[in-house]
Amino acid sequence: MEVAVNLELKTLNVKQDITYYNTSNDSLISIVLNDWNNAFSDKNTPLARRFSDEFYRGFHLAKPTERGNTTILNLSDSDNMALEWERTAKNPDFIIVKLNRKLYPGQKLDLHLTYISKIPSDKFTRYGFDQNGGMNLKNWFLSPARFENHRFIKYNNFNLDDIANASTDYEISIRIPNQYSITTDLNSVSEDLTNPSFRTYLYSGKNRTDFNLFIEKQNNFVSYENGSLEVLTNLKNKKVSEIQKAIIINRVVNFASAFIGKYPHQKITVSQVDYDRNPFYGLNQLPSFISPFPDDFIFEITFLKTYLNNYLKNSLRLDPRKDNWVYDGIQIYSMMKFMEENHLDQKMLGRLSDMKLFKSYNIANLTFNEQYSYYYMLMARKNLDQPLGDPKQTLIKFNEQIASKYRAGLSLSYLDDYLNHDIVPESVQEFYDLNKQEQTNRYDFEKILTKNSSKNIDWFFNTIIDSRDIIDYKFTNVSRTKDSIQFQIKNKTNNFVPIPVYGIKKNEVVFKKWIEPKNNDSIYEFAREKADKIVLNYDNEVPEYNLRNNWKSLKSVVITNRPIKFNFAKDLEDPYYNQILYIPTLTYNLYDGFTPGVRFHNKTILDKPFTFDINPAYSIKAGTISGSSAFVWNEYYRNSTLYSVRYSMSQNYYHYAPDATYLRLNPMVQFRIREENFRDNRKQLILFRQVIVNREASKYITDNSKPNYSVFNARYSNTKTELIDHFSFMNDLQFAGDFGKIAGEVEYRRLFENNHKLNIRLYAGTFLYNTTNSDYFSFGLDRPTDYMFDYNFYGRSESTGFFSQQFVMAEGGFKSKLEPAYANQWITTLNASYSIWNWIEAYGDIGFLKSKHQSEHFVYDSGIRLNLVPDYFEVYFPVYSNNGWEISQNKYNEKIRFVMTLSPKTLVNLFTRKWF
């Protein structure tokens, strides 16, 4: 390639010659060239849809100048004959070049290309042009795609760093302005500095699938020599001296070379950009002034993870999308081995583990390597884990970046422990050497592991790698004598894999034996060796679903197998204790005032089948006891679209008026349905519940409704949401002694290419029967009466004043207060809004409502909506309605409506939804 860089236009003018060798056994009539830079060309590419799916707004809202594309000016063969090529709207990130003649096995051909690469902004993926005028370049040129199994690998760019390029030799001449410099992991051949305006550099690289290129005004990379390898890094850490960095880098480089194999190239880059794209998720990401780890350790972990990632990506000639688990497995497994060799005593909480304040917490006692298991289990307990062998683009983001990556490393560590710590390291090295000779895939690695193992390890690939089957063993029928232990093991999931049994005496291991259960009837007998308890999977070698049923005490008198332990706020699950967590709470409503309390619960960081949450509180304004509680049982179905059934019972006791309390009991069962594709954001819910309400009489409430009542509610909802499109449908059925009603709601949101947003909601409801003599159970036009106490109204019984202006999008959904405000027969409304500029929107509502003995009423309103945080903080300013020009009427401030959510959990969901 001859490349001329134009940093003002953010373009690369490329003249490229490709000599393509057909090393396959197939005759080729076309060649596929990856063009991942063109994935940034518009808002409808697969990459743009991926951004939308993960709720990233930056790309959709970007200016055209911030996007990238590839403009092909010429494409010809060695005879300068133009070649036909195709790039479709569906697949804009690769092109298919149709050859003028067949390319037979062993033959070669030349392609000549001229094109312009418009480089995108780095704010989308961290690769591209930056604010300092430089460029971090990745996947910017046309490259031959990998050929495997009689076909070219055609992958879209999903921002996963998994381009499937053919192994290639590069020669690149690149011209840049004089005041800029280049850093790359290609080999430097020559420099031409004779031109006063431009510098021209010549680089080469052999047998590579990709390379990095950084263009900067001020070169931030520092070079470290380690034998035949040059390491170029710009990782940020001002508190670590250059000498400390050199020692750390030397230690990591030597470890990787000895443990994995000699790096096949002369240079490697370890950039801050690479780390920021795939950081080490954990406490080391905290700001330095509160970090529990020393600065040199943070630099070491940062460098280790990024170095190993680039080391493997540049060395292994795998399909990085389909065979992703091999990359992840070797990377995390190597990190675990590095920690065992160099930081064996390092804790997950760092120096916090030495503080008395944290001594009672299980999380403070975990070693650094044990955290990997908990990150994986976080997803397994949510029933969101995915098979390690699944292609990378099918993984939800948390699995792709954290849970599956860590489980892959844990799985190799598990196999290593089972095979006595020699087979797996040898196999990794053998596989690494094979990659220097030929293109490989995951099955080559599996063949090497199988060949080197003296035991049958088919279970490892079938269960651990290619399935999401969970592992869960427990002891049954344990008996002991002074000298021996006899027991059976029950496999709760019928997935039989090897598992270690430990004998423990005063927290010290006295024996460890691997067993290989084949059924649930086998009886095992071991020498006791003075053990006072036996434990399955004590060091968590096996990625097991539940560790709480893994041990039995062998003492003569056992009061309880699992004593109670109290901890403040939050903790990881401790398999040896029943944990009760407590934390102060503070809630508010107009009638109770500020309500401090203490919340007691068992919700550790990992989900569990049974949870309780009890929150006694004191209402300062009312001077009475109040509070809430909830008891939940979850059942997960791992191989079904009906993936969860939740049974719950909740209670609430607060004031609903200045002088009256309510008690709500809410037994409920929920059925949760998801798509087979875990990345599909469609969620379905079927809910059945009985809402039982007992209310005290109040002199302020004179609606003639029954104070005590019970409502059966069945509801179905179907929601599919992403950044560009949101569609939801809900159907609601209610039966009580005095009424029955049915209602439906459809909502649609669309973010257009001009960045304007349309929101439409249709609501319709009718009574099946109604013998009530008040509007307490009627449909509300601008505010529901909320007789089932579902909404967080701060002043639910207020009809005037500030708290009466709180708005909840429910039932009629009107913002203006109109008469009639209720319908005891039927209602139909349409709510719409359209963005004018940024978060300023125009809204309008129209509808019909009908009550008994009255004719139907046509109602409408309109105004301006400040949609600051959708569904969480909004303000509505009425303009015109059935009331006339509201903006010119008296006491206009009392007509303004607001949406306000103070729940931290609700707001956090805005930022975590892209991960799950």
Side-chain angles (χ1 to χ4, degrees):
M1 284 185 283
E2 294 180 10
V3 184
V5 180
N6 189 324
L7 289 162
E8 291 185 6
L9 297 178
K10 314 295 190 298
T11 60
L12 306 178
N13 295 290
V14 183
K15 182 180 178 182
Q16 181 173 344
D17 298 323
I18 299 174
T19 302
Y20 188 90
Y21 293 84
N22 185 2
T23 58
S24 73
N25 295 320
D26 300 319
S27 297
L28 305 178
I29 60 172
S30 63
I31 291 175
V32 175
L33 300 180
N34 288 321
D35 185 15
W36 276 23
N37 186 66
N38 202 58
F40 296 88
S41 57
D42 61 54
K43 301 179 183 181
N44 299 305
T45 66
L47 178 63
R49 292 194 293 272
R50 183 87 172 191
F51 284 142
S52 174
D53 190 46
E54 294 181 351
F55 300 97
Y56 172 64
R57 296 175 58 88
F59 187 76
H60 194 87
L61 300 177
K63 302 173 183 176
T65 55
E66 294 176 314
R67 298 199 180 90
N69 59 66
T70 305
T71 304
I72 299 177
L73 305 176
N74 178 62
L75 201 167
S76 60
D77 62 13
S78 55
D79 299 322
N80 290 322
M81 296 291 292
L83 293 173
E84 185 180 347
W85 58 274
E86 179 186 43
R87 174 165 59 203
T88 65
K90 182 180 179 182
N91 298 302
D93 32 23
F94 60 80
I95 68 171
I96 300 174
V97 181
K98 298 178 181 179
L99 305 181
N100 291 332
R101 60 178 176 82
K102 273 190 178 182
L103 185 64
Y104 293 100
Q107 290 186 338
K108 66 177 182 179
L109 66 78
D110 292 328
L111 300 177
H112 305 293
L113 302 96
T114 306
Y115 57 92
I116 300 172
S117 289
K118 167 67 175 66
I119 303 302
S121 168
D122 68 348
K123 71 180 185 179
F124 309 133
T125 66
R126 301 186 186 273
Y127 295 130
F129 69 83
D130 59 37
Q131 294 180 338
N132 300 319
M135 291 182 178
N136 307 318
L137 296 177
K138 191 86 168 177
N139 307 141
W140 52 273
F141 57 92
L142 292 165
S143 53
R146 176 187 176 101
F147 190 88
E148 185 178 45
N149 295 328
H150 313 292
R151 64 183 183 89
F152 283 98
I153 306 299
K154 303 173 185 176
Y155 286 157
N156 297 121
N157 182 356
F158 289 131
N159 189 28
L160 296 173
D161 280 345
D162 60 351
I163 192 168
N165 286 335
S167 185
T168 305
D169 295 342
Y170 293 99
E171 288 185 7
I172 299 176
S173 170
I174 184 165
R175 189 182 72 177
I176 61 171
N178 248 337
Q179 64 270 33
Y180 287 82
S181 64
I182 292 179
T183 302
T184 180
D185 51 353
L186 293 174
N187 303 324
S188 179
V189 176
S190 65
E191 300 178 3
D192 182 358
L193 309 179
T194 58
N195 191 306
S197 301
F198 298 96
R199 299 179 180 184
T200 302
Y201 299 88
L202 187 63
Y203 298 102
S204 69
K206 290 190 176 296
N207 204 19
R208 303 183 65 105
T209 55
D210 205 357
F211 60 88
N212 294 305
L213 198 64
F214 302 88
I215 301 173
E216 301 173 292
K217 269 188 179 179
Q218 181 177 355
N219 192 336
N220 292 312
F221 283 83
V222 179
S223 173
Y224 297 87
E225 297 283 348
N226 182 282
S228 60
L229 180 63
E230 180 184 5
V231 179
L232 298 159
T233 182
N234 66 346
L235 289 177
K236 301 172 185 174
N237 198 316
K238 296 179 181 179
K239 296 184 179 180
V240 180
S241 69
E242 291 303 315
I243 294 177
Q244 286 178 297
K245 289 180 180 179
I247 293 171
I248 289 169
I249 289 171
N250 190 62
R251 181 160 60 234
V252 171
V253 170
N254 288 339
F255 167 81
S257 182
F259 188 73
I260 300 174
K262 189 177 185 304
Y263 190 64
H265 309 301
Q266 297 175 22
K267 295 163 66 176
I268 187 171
T269 55
V270 181
S271 70
Q272 187 66 40
V273 168
D274 292 332
Y275 176 74
D276 290 341
R277 282 183 57 82
N278 290 284
F280 186 93
Y281 293 94
L283 290 172
N284 60 302
Q285 288 184 289
L286 294 172
S288 57
F289 66 92
I290 57 172
S291 173
F293 299 102
D295 293 308
D296 58 343
F297 177 77
I298 292 176
F299 179 81
E300 188 164 14
I301 286 295
T302 301
F303 181 83
L304 173 67
K305 188 174 191 295
T306 312
Y307 179 80
L308 288 175
N309 183 65
N310 292 357
Y311 192 91
L312 295 169
K313 287 291 175 69
N314 295 338
S315 306
L316 299 182
R317 290 193 273 171
L318 293 160
D319 180 334
R321 180 166 293 180
K322 188 174 64 176
D323 303 332
N324 180 60
W325 81 264
V326 180
Y327 287 102
D328 289 343
I330 295 177
Q331 181 194 22
I332 302 302
Y333 172 62
S334 300
M335 289 183 67
M336 295 174 71
K337 287 298 183 183
F338 181 87
M339 291 299 296
E340 289 175 7
E341 287 186 16
N342 297 281
H343 303 281
L344 183 62
D345 297 327
Q346 183 63 264
K347 298 292 187 179
M348 179 179 175
L349 288 188
R351 49 180 165 244
L352 295 181
S353 296
D354 299 325
M355 299 175 63
K356 288 185 178 180
L357 180 65
F358 297 101
K359 282 293 185 182
S360 64
Y361 287 83
N362 185 41
I363 193 173
N365 298 315
L366 296 181
T367 65
F368 196 84
N369 278 346
E370 285 181 293
Q371 67 182 300
Y372 297 118
S373 178
Y374 282 91
Y375 279 114
Y376 152 67
M377 198 55 64
L378 186 71
M379 297 302 280
R381 292 285 187 88
K382 293 180 181 294
N383 201 9
L384 287 174
D385 56 308
Q386 295 171 268
L388 296 179
D390 279 7
K392 191 174 184 179
Q393 86 280 8
T394 65
L395 303 180
I396 56 180
K397 189 169 184 177
F398 194 94
N399 286 334
E400 179 256 314
Q401 294 212 349
I402 305 176
S404 292
K405 186 182 290 286
Y406 290 173
R407 191 191 174 191
L410 287 167
S411 298
L412 284 182
S413 180
Y414 168 27
L415 185 64
D416 180 34
D417 199 295
Y418 173 65
L419 298 177
N420 297 320
H421 303 286
D422 53 0
I423 303 300
V424 174
E426 290 176 8
S427 299
V428 168
Q429 293 180 0
E430 185 177 341
F431 179 66
Y432 191 79
D433 289 338
L434 180 65
N435 276 268
K436 296 176 183 178
Q437 305 167 27
E438 62 185 59
Q439 182 171 284
T440 60
N441 57 48
R442 57 169 280 188
Y443 300 107
D444 295 312
F445 185 44
E446 294 174 9
K447 287 174 187 174
I448 290 172
L449 284 169
T450 303
K451 171 178 67 73
N452 292 342
S453 173
S454 59
K455 301 178 182 179
N456 185 335
I457 57 172
D458 289 345
W459 55 268
F460 178 76
F461 307 114
N462 296 334
T463 301
I464 304 299
I465 303 300
D466 287 327
S467 82
R468 61 188 299 265
D469 295 339
I470 58 174
I471 303 162
D472 191 8
Y473 286 106
K474 64 177 290 186
F475 285 113
T476 60
N477 301 325
V478 177
S479 61
R480 80 272 186 271
T481 66
K482 182 179 179 181
D483 301 317
S484 67
I485 309 165
Q486 191 178 82
F487 58 86
Q488 287 180 282
I489 288 179
K490 180 180 180 181
N491 186 327
K492 299 183 68 177
T493 59
N494 291 319
N495 296 311
F496 292 95
V497 298
I499 193 162
V501 178
Y502 287 81
I504 307 296
K505 180 175 176 61
K506 296 181 179 178
N507 295 324
E508 296 290 331
V509 176
V510 295
F511 71 79
K512 173 186 177 181
K513 299 182 186 294
W514 281 91
I515 61 173
E516 302 175 29
K518 304 297 182 187
N519 54 60
N520 285 325
D521 299 326
S522 300
I523 297 174
Y524 303 90
E525 186 169 352
F526 294 151
R528 181 169 177 175
E529 300 183 28
K530 299 184 179 180
D532 54 34
K533 65 180 173 184
I534 55 172
V535 185
L536 291 167
N537 199 22
Y538 180 70
D539 279 339
N540 209 3
E541 299 96 331
V542 184
E544 199 178 1
Y545 187 76
N546 181 17
L547 299 177
R548 290 171 57 80
N549 55 11
N550 276 26
W551 65 285
K552 287 290 185 181
S553 175
L554 301 176
K555 294 179 181 179
S556 300
V557 179
V558 180
I559 298 174
T560 176
N561 207 39
R562 192 179 293 111
I564 293 176
K565 180 171 70 172
F566 286 88
N567 281 123
F568 178 75
K570 207 76 168 176
D571 193 10
L572 277 178
E573 184 175 282
D574 190 331
Y576 304 112
Y577 290 90
N578 285 313
Q579 293 159 289
I580 297 180
L581 307 169
Y582 61 94
I583 189 170
T585 61
L586 183 65
T587 59
Y588 175 82
N589 70 58
L590 179 62
Y591 315 117
D592 290 293
F594 286 101
T595 308
V598 180
R599 178 184 171 213
F600 298 92
H601 65 96
N602 69 334
K603 297 179 182 178
T604 54
I605 295 173
L606 300 182
D607 290 356
K608 55 184 63 175
F610 174 73
T611 59
F612 64 85
D613 196 326
I614 302 172
N615 188 185
Y618 180 75
S619 301
I620 293 178
K621 187 173 182 179
T624 61
I625 299 296
S626 60
S628 62
S629 65
F631 303 88
V632 178
W633 176 264
N634 279 305
E635 285 189 9
Y636 287 116
Y637 302 94
R638 296 186 60 80
N639 299 309
S640 170
T641 52
L642 172 63
Y643 77 101
S644 169
V645 178
R646 172 178 291 188
Y647 307 91
S648 64
M649 167 65 82
S650 62
Q651 303 84 29
N652 304 83
Y653 183 72
Y654 291 101
H655 281 77
Y656 75 96
D659 61 343
T661 61
Y662 74 91
L663 170 66
R664 183 184 84 147
L665 303 178
N666 184 20
M668 178 165 55
V669 58
Q670 300 176 58
F671 301 88
R672 299 181 179 185
I673 301 169
R674 67 178 173 210
E675 302 300 300
E676 291 184 5
N677 175 11
F678 280 25
R679 285 195 59 86
D680 194 321
N681 285 336
R682 183 179 302 281
K683 299 292 185 293
Q684 297 179 69
L685 174 70
I686 302 172
L687 173 154
F688 298 100
R689 62 175 177 165
Q690 189 76 32
V691 179
I692 304 165
V693 176
N694 288 335
R695 295 184 297 161
E696 287 184 340
S698 169
K699 65 180 181 180
Y700 296 96
I701 307 298
T702 57
D703 58 13
N704 298 320
S705 62
K706 292 183 178 180
N708 303 327
Y709 51 88
S710 176
V711 181
F712 171 77
N713 180 209
R715 182 177 298 171
Y716 168 75
S717 67
N718 187 322
T719 302
K720 184 175 176 64
T721 185
E722 58 184 58
L723 179 67
I724 306 301
D725 281 305
H726 165 92
F727 178 83
S728 64
F729 168 77
M730 186 272 292
N731 186 262
D732 188 85
L733 184 65
Q734 298 176 22
F735 289 106
D738 293 332
F739 73 90
K741 61 165 66 171
I742 187 170
E745 175 185 300
V746 179
E747 184 175 27
Y748 177 70
R749 296 178 189 170
R750 172 74 179 181
L751 182 62
F752 295 103
E753 289 197 31
N754 61 6
N755 294 330
H756 289 284
K757 184 168 66 175
L758 174 68
N759 190 338
I760 298 175
R761 173 182 177 267
L762 175 66
Y763 179 84
T766 183
F767 278 88
L768 303 175
Y769 59 92
N770 185 5
T771 60
T772 62
N773 57 1
S774 79
D775 278 323
Y776 185 65
F777 298 104
S778 296
F779 293 108
L781 182 64
D782 69 275
R783 177 177 165 117
T785 58
D786 192 27
Y787 49 87
M788 292 197 290
F789 293 86
D790 287 331
Y791 306 116
N792 187 24
F793 279 117
Y794 300 112
R796 62 177 54 253
S797 297
E798 299 302 294
S799 57
T800 60
F802 176 76
F803 287 99
S804 71
Q805 295 169 232
Q806 183 182 356
F807 175 75
V808 170
M809 178 56 81
E811 298 186 0
F814 269 56
K815 291 78 185 176
S816 294
K817 297 182 178 181
L818 307 177
E819 291 296 335
Y822 300 100
N824 61 26
Q825 196 165 349
W826 57 262
I827 186 173
T828 300
T829 59
L830 179 68
N831 316 114
S833 63
Y834 185 77
S835 59
I836 303 171
W837 179 79
N838 274 354
W839 34 264
I840 301 176
E841 302 178 5
Y843 74 81
D845 306 309
I846 59 173
F848 291 89
L849 66 163
K850 173 76 168 63
S851 291
K852 296 176 183 178
H853 314 302
Q854 297 179 18
S855 60
E856 62 271 11
H857 283 79
F858 172 68
V859 286
Y860 61 90
D861 71 1
S862 61
I864 299 297
R865 173 191 189 190
L866 302 186
N867 191 9
L868 302 173
V869 183
D871 301 329
Y872 301 99
F873 186 59
E874 306 172 12
V875 183
Y876 294 87
F877 296 91
V879 175
Y880 189 75
S881 71
N882 291 79
N883 294 331
W885 288 98
E886 299 198 44
I887 199 167
S888 63
Q889 296 173 1
N890 292 333
K891 298 182 179 180
Y892 179 74
N893 61 306
E894 296 181 7
K895 299 175 180 291
I896 298 171
R897 306 293 296 274
F898 65 90
V899 174
M900 184 168 59
T901 301
L902 301 180
S903 167
K905 181 179 179 181
T906 305
L907 291 172
V908 165
N909 286 340
L910 274 178
F911 304 99
T912 60
R913 57 187 179 177
K914 68 179 181 179
W915 289 98
F916 304 104

